[in-house]
Amino acid sequence: MSDTQPISYVRDTMLGQQEPPATQRGVVKWLRENLFSNWLNSILTLAALVAIYLILTSVGPWLLNSIWDAESLRECRDILDGTPGACFAVITDRWHQLLFGFYPPEHYWRPVLALVLLLIALAPILFAELPRKMLYFSAVFPFIGYHLLWGGSVWFPISVFLGFVAGYIAFRALAKVSALVSVIGAVAATLVWWFFIAGPFDAAMYSVAPIGLEFVRSESFGGFLISLVIGVTGISLSLPLGILLALGRQSDMLFVKTVCVVFIEFIRGVPLITLLFTASLLLNYFLPPGTNFDLILRVIIMVTLFAAAYMAEVIRGGLAALPKGQYEAADALGLDYWKAQRLIIMPQALKISIPGIVNTFISLFKDTTLVVFIGLLDPLGLSNAIRADTAWTGIYWELFIFIGALFFIFCFSMSRYSMYLERKLKTDHR
């Protein structure tokens, strides 16, 4: 064979790029891979489509034929004239009660402003890209939020804040002695300030400069306002308390470990509704006569303790999942216990525990509806009060759809943030 003779089975020109088959691209490919990948998935997809069709044909006309402007359920029915339709006029008429309870209408701006400031305070905690200086505002927001919601003397939240300042000063002053002594001194200084100095300081400052907002009693709180107050406070406090309980349960000190184990097992073995009844009825029996301990504060304490016990077990699971080599590496670096926990152990344990932590947060937020059993009117409690009005007697679904939608927005947001955080902290390449 000569060198110039072409080889028949070797192509001397390149083929142009061609479109993939119709079954391997676009919507058809997505449907094949996700909905019709095999016979079982195909049957389940068709069954789901039939179910969705039946739901839409049943509920769709009812929702599309909604009435938003009426004074009563009877007026809604007169407008509908026998045709199926939702009477969302109850939301238009009573939305302020569902959101604010019996909070004075002229002061609605206060909880609204507190919510806006809460979002600003949470932003640097949830998103590390924001300036770290914003954390100073996050630290003082609880005192600002309390004053906006309850009002009263502006010097009261300031005096409470100064208690933390006194504790910090004591901690720094005793830091050279030992870590344990500095912690005990900080706690003692804070408690001494709160119990013996905060009251006289508040009274003295208010007599000199009577600055503050109109006081709103806790009995006026209700609706989603009370759910947010209890839920956000419980979530914020249960995480650090749960971390301490988890570390205490793994401690080598017998007394600390025993206290933490007994607390966790007792709280987890008692229903939350029992703790709420304890906060409502029994806690006053253990307080000095004449003590006026706010009911919402009692509920917040019990809800926080309840969530902290579950949080401790979630975090303990994250600690148990860490390889032993991480602890040995911290020891090899010469780190003491708290530095090892802060720099090596706890960041990894919290990363592992993110799904469980957020699940506990969501469960806590939904459990705030249980306060209706101790006389606090959450959204569900207010729905019963609204239905007791003769104008809206007999209405159910519209109220529950609205309440469920608001709870879904909050819980779904927490779930999506959890997924965002997991993706951001993912360091492996699987």
Side-chain angles (χ1 to χ4, degrees), residues 246-288:
L247 294 177
R249 184 158 189 167
Q250 291 193 327
S251 174
D252 295 330
M253 294 183 286
L254 180 61
F255 176 75
V256 173
K257 182 175 182 179
T258 303
V259 170
C260 292
V261 169
V262 171
F263 174 83
I264 292 171
E265 297 302 329
F266 172 77
I267 295 294
R268 294 174 69 223
V270 177
L272 177 58
I273 188 64
T274 304
L275 297 177
L276 293 178
F277 276 118
T278 301
S280 174
L281 303 174
L282 301 180
L283 196 58
N284 278 339
Y285 290 106
F286 301 95
L287 298 174

Short mmCIF file of all heavy atoms in Angstrom, two decimals, residues 246-288:
data_model
loop_
_atom_site.label_atom_id
_atom_site.label_comp_id
_atom_site.label_asym_id
_atom_site.label_seq_id
_atom_site.Cartn_x
_atom_site.Cartn_y
_atom_site.Cartn_z
N ALA A 246 -24.72 19.91 77.69
CA ALA A 246 -24.06 18.82 76.98
C ALA A 246 -22.63 18.64 77.46
O ALA A 246 -22.16 17.50 77.67
CB ALA A 246 -24.08 19.10 75.48
N LEU A 247 -21.92 19.74 77.67
CA LEU A 247 -20.56 19.64 78.19
C LEU A 247 -20.56 19.12 79.62
O LEU A 247 -19.69 18.32 80.01
CB LEU A 247 -19.88 21.02 78.12
CG LEU A 247 -19.62 21.58 76.72
CD1 LEU A 247 -19.03 22.98 76.81
CD2 LEU A 247 -18.71 20.65 75.93
N GLY A 248 -21.55 19.57 80.42
CA GLY A 248 -21.63 19.09 81.80
C GLY A 248 -21.93 17.60 81.86
O GLY A 248 -21.40 16.90 82.74
N ARG A 249 -22.73 17.10 80.93
CA ARG A 249 -23.05 15.66 80.94
C ARG A 249 -21.83 14.82 80.59
O ARG A 249 -21.74 13.66 81.01
CB ARG A 249 -24.18 15.38 79.96
CG ARG A 249 -24.64 13.93 79.98
CD ARG A 249 -26.02 13.77 79.44
NE ARG A 249 -26.51 12.41 79.67
CZ ARG A 249 -27.77 12.03 79.53
NH1 ARG A 249 -28.68 12.90 79.16
NH2 ARG A 249 -28.13 10.78 79.77
N GLN A 250 -20.89 15.38 79.85
CA GLN A 250 -19.67 14.65 79.50
C GLN A 250 -18.51 14.98 80.43
O GLN A 250 -17.39 14.51 80.21
CB GLN A 250 -19.27 14.97 78.07
CG GLN A 250 -20.22 14.40 77.01
CD GLN A 250 -19.64 14.47 75.62
OE1 GLN A 250 -18.90 15.39 75.29
NE2 GLN A 250 -19.95 13.48 74.80
N SER A 251 -18.78 15.76 81.46
CA SER A 251 -17.72 16.18 82.36
C SER A 251 -17.22 15.01 83.21
O SER A 251 -17.94 14.05 83.48
CB SER A 251 -18.22 17.31 83.27
OG SER A 251 -17.26 17.64 84.25
N ASP A 252 -15.96 15.11 83.63
CA ASP A 252 -15.38 14.11 84.54
C ASP A 252 -15.70 14.42 86.00
O ASP A 252 -15.46 13.57 86.88
CB ASP A 252 -13.85 14.07 84.36
CG ASP A 252 -13.45 13.58 82.98
OD1 ASP A 252 -14.22 12.77 82.40
OD2 ASP A 252 -12.40 14.01 82.47
N MET A 253 -16.23 15.62 86.27
CA MET A 253 -16.61 15.97 87.64
C MET A 253 -17.96 15.34 87.97
O MET A 253 -18.97 15.63 87.32
CB MET A 253 -16.66 17.49 87.80
CG MET A 253 -15.31 18.17 87.65
SD MET A 253 -15.34 19.96 87.93
CE MET A 253 -16.13 20.51 86.43
N LEU A 254 -17.98 14.48 88.96
CA LEU A 254 -19.16 13.67 89.26
C LEU A 254 -20.37 14.52 89.60
O LEU A 254 -21.48 14.27 89.11
CB LEU A 254 -18.85 12.71 90.41
CG LEU A 254 -20.01 11.78 90.83
CD1 LEU A 254 -20.41 10.88 89.66
CD2 LEU A 254 -19.61 10.94 92.04
N PHE A 255 -20.18 15.56 90.42
CA PHE A 255 -21.31 16.37 90.84
C PHE A 255 -21.93 17.09 89.63
O PHE A 255 -23.15 17.09 89.45
CB PHE A 255 -20.86 17.38 91.89
CG PHE A 255 -21.95 18.33 92.31
CD1 PHE A 255 -22.97 17.92 93.15
CD2 PHE A 255 -21.96 19.64 91.84
CE1 PHE A 255 -23.98 18.79 93.53
CE2 PHE A 255 -22.96 20.52 92.21
CZ PHE A 255 -23.97 20.09 93.06
N VAL A 256 -21.09 17.73 88.80
CA VAL A 256 -21.59 18.45 87.63
C VAL A 256 -22.30 17.49 86.68
O VAL A 256 -23.40 17.78 86.17
CB VAL A 256 -20.43 19.17 86.91
CG1 VAL A 256 -20.91 19.80 85.60
CG2 VAL A 256 -19.83 20.24 87.81
N LYS A 257 -21.70 16.35 86.44
CA LYS A 257 -22.31 15.37 85.53
C LYS A 257 -23.64 14.87 86.06
O LYS A 257 -24.62 14.75 85.32
CB LYS A 257 -21.36 14.20 85.32
CG LYS A 257 -21.88 13.15 84.36
CD LYS A 257 -20.85 12.07 84.10
CE LYS A 257 -21.36 11.06 83.08
NZ LYS A 257 -20.34 10.01 82.80
N THR A 258 -23.72 14.60 87.36
CA THR A 258 -24.96 14.10 87.95
C THR A 258 -26.08 15.13 87.85
O THR A 258 -27.21 14.81 87.49
CB THR A 258 -24.72 13.72 89.42
OG1 THR A 258 -23.68 12.75 89.50
CG2 THR A 258 -25.99 13.15 90.04
N VAL A 259 -25.75 16.39 88.16
CA VAL A 259 -26.77 17.45 88.07
C VAL A 259 -27.29 17.58 86.65
O VAL A 259 -28.51 17.66 86.42
CB VAL A 259 -26.18 18.78 88.58
CG1 VAL A 259 -27.14 19.93 88.27
CG2 VAL A 259 -25.90 18.72 90.07
N CYS A 260 -26.40 17.57 85.68
CA CYS A 260 -26.82 17.72 84.28
C CYS A 260 -27.64 16.53 83.81
O CYS A 260 -28.66 16.70 83.13
CB CYS A 260 -25.59 17.91 83.38
SG CYS A 260 -24.71 19.46 83.64
N VAL A 261 -27.23 15.33 84.18
CA VAL A 261 -27.97 14.12 83.77
C VAL A 261 -29.37 14.12 84.38
O VAL A 261 -30.37 13.85 83.69
CB VAL A 261 -27.19 12.85 84.16
CG1 VAL A 261 -28.07 11.61 83.97
CG2 VAL A 261 -25.93 12.72 83.32
N VAL A 262 -29.46 14.43 85.67
CA VAL A 262 -30.77 14.45 86.33
C VAL A 262 -31.67 15.51 85.71
O VAL A 262 -32.85 15.26 85.43
CB VAL A 262 -30.59 14.70 87.85
CG1 VAL A 262 -31.95 14.95 88.51
CG2 VAL A 262 -29.90 13.51 88.49
N PHE A 263 -31.13 16.68 85.47
CA PHE A 263 -31.93 17.75 84.87
C PHE A 263 -32.42 17.35 83.48
O PHE A 263 -33.62 17.49 83.17
CB PHE A 263 -31.10 19.03 84.78
CG PHE A 263 -31.79 20.15 84.05
CD1 PHE A 263 -32.69 20.97 84.70
CD2 PHE A 263 -31.55 20.37 82.70
CE1 PHE A 263 -33.34 22.00 84.03
CE2 PHE A 263 -32.18 21.40 82.02
CZ PHE A 263 -33.08 22.21 82.68
N ILE A 264 -31.53 16.86 82.64
CA ILE A 264 -31.91 16.52 81.27
C ILE A 264 -32.94 15.41 81.24
O ILE A 264 -33.97 15.50 80.55
CB ILE A 264 -30.65 16.13 80.46
CG1 ILE A 264 -29.75 17.34 80.25
CG2 ILE A 264 -31.05 15.53 79.11
CD1 ILE A 264 -28.40 17.00 79.64
N GLU A 265 -32.72 14.36 82.01
CA GLU A 265 -33.65 13.23 81.98
C GLU A 265 -34.99 13.59 82.59
O GLU A 265 -36.04 13.12 82.13
CB GLU A 265 -33.03 12.03 82.72
CG GLU A 265 -31.76 11.50 82.07
CD GLU A 265 -31.99 11.08 80.63
OE1 GLU A 265 -33.11 10.65 80.29
OE2 GLU A 265 -31.05 11.20 79.83
N PHE A 266 -34.97 14.44 83.62
CA PHE A 266 -36.25 14.84 84.22
C PHE A 266 -37.06 15.69 83.24
O PHE A 266 -38.26 15.46 83.04
CB PHE A 266 -36.00 15.63 85.51
CG PHE A 266 -37.25 16.24 86.08
CD1 PHE A 266 -38.16 15.45 86.77
CD2 PHE A 266 -37.53 17.59 85.91
CE1 PHE A 266 -39.33 16.00 87.29
CE2 PHE A 266 -38.69 18.15 86.42
CZ PHE A 266 -39.58 17.35 87.12
N ILE A 267 -36.42 16.68 82.63
CA ILE A 267 -37.13 17.56 81.70
C ILE A 267 -37.64 16.77 80.50
O ILE A 267 -38.78 16.95 80.05
CB ILE A 267 -36.23 18.72 81.25
CG1 ILE A 267 -35.89 19.63 82.44
CG2 ILE A 267 -36.89 19.52 80.14
CD1 ILE A 267 -37.08 20.37 83.01
N ARG A 268 -36.82 15.89 79.96
CA ARG A 268 -37.24 15.12 78.79
C ARG A 268 -38.31 14.08 79.12
O ARG A 268 -39.00 13.59 78.22
CB ARG A 268 -36.03 14.42 78.16
CG ARG A 268 -35.02 15.38 77.57
CD ARG A 268 -33.77 14.66 77.10
NE ARG A 268 -34.06 13.83 75.95
CZ ARG A 268 -33.61 12.60 75.79
NH1 ARG A 268 -32.87 12.05 76.73
NH2 ARG A 268 -33.90 11.90 74.71
N GLY A 269 -38.45 13.77 80.38
CA GLY A 269 -39.46 12.79 80.77
C GLY A 269 -40.79 13.39 81.17
O GLY A 269 -41.73 12.66 81.52
N VAL A 270 -40.90 14.72 81.11
CA VAL A 270 -42.12 15.41 81.52
C VAL A 270 -42.67 16.17 80.33
O VAL A 270 -41.91 16.87 79.64
CB VAL A 270 -41.84 16.39 82.69
CG1 VAL A 270 -43.10 17.16 83.07
CG2 VAL A 270 -41.30 15.62 83.88
N PRO A 271 -43.97 16.07 80.03
CA PRO A 271 -44.53 16.84 78.91
C PRO A 271 -44.42 18.34 79.15
O PRO A 271 -44.45 18.81 80.28
CB PRO A 271 -46.01 16.40 78.88
CG PRO A 271 -46.06 15.12 79.66
CD PRO A 271 -44.97 15.19 80.68
N LEU A 272 -44.29 19.08 78.05
CA LEU A 272 -44.17 20.54 78.16
C LEU A 272 -45.41 21.15 78.80
O LEU A 272 -45.29 22.12 79.57
CB LEU A 272 -43.95 21.15 76.77
CG LEU A 272 -43.87 22.68 76.70
CD1 LEU A 272 -42.76 23.21 77.59
CD2 LEU A 272 -43.68 23.15 75.26
N ILE A 273 -46.57 20.61 78.53
CA ILE A 273 -47.79 21.18 79.09
C ILE A 273 -47.76 21.10 80.62
O ILE A 273 -48.26 21.99 81.31
CB ILE A 273 -49.04 20.46 78.53
CG1 ILE A 273 -50.31 21.17 78.96
CG2 ILE A 273 -49.06 19.00 78.90
CD1 ILE A 273 -50.46 22.55 78.45
N THR A 274 -47.14 20.04 81.17
CA THR A 274 -47.01 19.92 82.63
C THR A 274 -46.12 21.02 83.18
O THR A 274 -46.42 21.63 84.22
CB THR A 274 -46.44 18.54 82.99
OG1 THR A 274 -47.26 17.52 82.44
CG2 THR A 274 -46.36 18.38 84.50
N LEU A 275 -45.02 21.31 82.48
CA LEU A 275 -44.14 22.39 82.93
C LEU A 275 -44.82 23.75 82.83
O LEU A 275 -44.60 24.62 83.68
CB LEU A 275 -42.87 22.39 82.08
CG LEU A 275 -42.00 21.13 82.18
CD1 LEU A 275 -40.81 21.22 81.23
CD2 LEU A 275 -41.51 20.92 83.61
N LEU A 276 -45.66 23.93 81.82
CA LEU A 276 -46.38 25.20 81.69
C LEU A 276 -47.39 25.38 82.82
O LEU A 276 -47.54 26.48 83.35
CB LEU A 276 -47.08 25.26 80.33
CG LEU A 276 -46.16 25.33 79.11
CD1 LEU A 276 -46.98 25.35 77.83
CD2 LEU A 276 -45.26 26.56 79.18
N PHE A 277 -48.08 24.29 83.19
CA PHE A 277 -48.98 24.38 84.34
C PHE A 277 -48.21 24.65 85.62
O PHE A 277 -48.67 25.38 86.50
CB PHE A 277 -49.79 23.09 84.48
CG PHE A 277 -51.01 23.06 83.61
CD1 PHE A 277 -51.15 22.11 82.62
CD2 PHE A 277 -52.03 23.99 83.77
CE1 PHE A 277 -52.27 22.07 81.81
CE2 PHE A 277 -53.16 23.97 82.96
CZ PHE A 277 -53.28 23.01 81.98
N THR A 278 -47.01 24.08 85.72
CA THR A 278 -46.16 24.35 86.88
C THR A 278 -45.79 25.83 86.93
O THR A 278 -45.84 26.47 87.99
CB THR A 278 -44.88 23.49 86.81
OG1 THR A 278 -45.25 22.11 86.79
CG2 THR A 278 -44.00 23.77 88.01
N ALA A 279 -45.42 26.39 85.77
CA ALA A 279 -45.08 27.81 85.71
C ALA A 279 -46.27 28.69 86.04
O ALA A 279 -46.14 29.73 86.68
CB ALA A 279 -44.55 28.16 84.32
N SER A 280 -47.46 28.26 85.63
CA SER A 280 -48.65 29.09 85.82
C SER A 280 -49.21 29.02 87.23
O SER A 280 -49.63 30.03 87.79
CB SER A 280 -49.73 28.66 84.81
OG SER A 280 -50.93 29.35 85.04
N LEU A 281 -49.21 27.81 87.83
CA LEU A 281 -49.93 27.61 89.08
C LEU A 281 -49.04 27.38 90.29
O LEU A 281 -49.32 27.88 91.38
CB LEU A 281 -50.89 26.42 88.94
CG LEU A 281 -51.91 26.52 87.80
CD1 LEU A 281 -52.69 25.22 87.68
CD2 LEU A 281 -52.84 27.70 88.02
N LEU A 282 -47.96 26.62 90.13
CA LEU A 282 -47.20 26.17 91.28
C LEU A 282 -46.00 27.05 91.61
O LEU A 282 -45.57 27.07 92.77
CB LEU A 282 -46.72 24.73 91.05
CG LEU A 282 -47.81 23.68 90.81
CD1 LEU A 282 -47.18 22.31 90.59
CD2 LEU A 282 -48.77 23.63 92.00
N LEU A 283 -45.46 27.75 90.61
CA LEU A 283 -44.21 28.48 90.84
C LEU A 283 -44.39 29.57 91.89
O LEU A 283 -43.47 29.85 92.67
CB LEU A 283 -43.71 29.09 89.53
CG LEU A 283 -42.26 29.57 89.51
CD1 LEU A 283 -41.31 28.43 89.86
CD2 LEU A 283 -41.90 30.15 88.16
N ASN A 284 -45.56 30.19 91.94
CA ASN A 284 -45.77 31.26 92.92
C ASN A 284 -45.71 30.77 94.36
O ASN A 284 -45.43 31.54 95.27
CB ASN A 284 -47.11 31.94 92.67
CG ASN A 284 -47.03 32.98 91.56
OD1 ASN A 284 -45.96 33.46 91.25
ND2 ASN A 284 -48.16 33.32 90.97
N TYR A 285 -45.98 29.47 94.57
CA TYR A 285 -45.94 28.94 95.93
C TYR A 285 -44.51 28.91 96.48
O TYR A 285 -44.32 28.85 97.69
CB TYR A 285 -46.53 27.54 95.98
CG TYR A 285 -48.03 27.51 95.77
CD1 TYR A 285 -48.57 27.05 94.58
CD2 TYR A 285 -48.90 27.95 96.75
CE1 TYR A 285 -49.95 27.03 94.37
CE2 TYR A 285 -50.27 27.93 96.56
CZ TYR A 285 -50.79 27.47 95.36
OH TYR A 285 -52.15 27.46 95.16
N PHE A 286 -43.51 28.92 95.59
CA PHE A 286 -42.12 28.87 96.03
C PHE A 286 -41.48 30.25 96.08
O PHE A 286 -40.29 30.36 96.35
CB PHE A 286 -41.31 27.96 95.09
CG PHE A 286 -41.82 26.55 95.01
CD1 PHE A 286 -42.69 26.17 94.01
CD2 PHE A 286 -41.43 25.62 95.95
CE1 PHE A 286 -43.17 24.86 93.94
CE2 PHE A 286 -41.90 24.32 95.89
CZ PHE A 286 -42.77 23.94 94.89
N LEU A 287 -42.27 31.29 95.81
CA LEU A 287 -41.76 32.65 95.84
C LEU A 287 -42.21 33.35 97.11
O LEU A 287 -43.20 32.98 97.73
CB LEU A 287 -42.26 33.42 94.61
CG LEU A 287 -41.80 32.88 93.25
CD1 LEU A 287 -42.48 33.64 92.13
CD2 LEU A 287 -40.29 32.95 93.11
N PRO A 288 -41.49 34.39 97.54
CA PRO A 288 -41.90 35.12 98.74
C PRO A 288 -43.29 35.72 98.58
O PRO A 288 -43.71 36.04 97.46
CB PRO A 288 -40.83 36.22 98.85
CG PRO A 288 -39.66 35.71 98.09
CD PRO A 288 -40.23 34.87 96.97
#
